[in-house]
Amino acid sequence: MVHAGYLEKLKYLHPNLSDIELKHCIFIKLHMEAKEVASLLNVEPRSVATSKYRIKKKLQLTEAHDLKDYLLSV
């Protein structure tokens, strides 16, 4: 409830993100570490890092832009 409407706004801005990528974005916004996310999703921490890379690529963020900062600004 703290971030009401965030998921809808993110889907509207970036309809090309998959459901799992949207989950990762929410976890990033909640300041969760890769190990925590990996534990929740029952995957390896490396998979979480790969997902972050792919999300950043889909959002067309350059290396100079931080994914976390972008997601917090949405």
Side-chain angles (χ1 to χ4, degrees):
M1 294 305 289
V2 175
H3 304 286
Y6 180 76
L7 185 59
E8 289 77 20
K9 185 175 181 180
L10 194 58
K11 281 182 183 180
Y12 176 76
L13 292 173
H14 304 287
N16 60 335
L17 292 176
S18 69
D19 289 340
I20 192 69
E21 290 169 335
L22 290 168
K23 281 184 187 181
H24 280 268
C25 290
I26 291 170
F27 291 141
I28 293 167
K29 183 168 176 72
L30 294 174
H31 304 284
M32 294 181 72
E33 297 296 325
K35 287 183 182 180
E36 294 173 300
V37 175
S39 177
L40 284 173
L41 299 177
N42 200 25
V43 297
E44 293 292 323
R46 182 73 186 137
S47 297
V48 175
T50 301
S51 181
K52 285 181 180 180
Y53 170 78
R54 290 181 180 152
I55 292 168
K56 192 171 178 179
K57 192 171 180 178
K58 280 187 176 183
L59 299 181
Q60 298 178 343
L61 298 176
T62 64
E63 287 188 28
H65 291 98
D66 184 53
L67 178 60
K68 189 176 192 176
D69 289 341
Y70 175 76
L71 293 174
L72 290 173
S73 71
V74 170

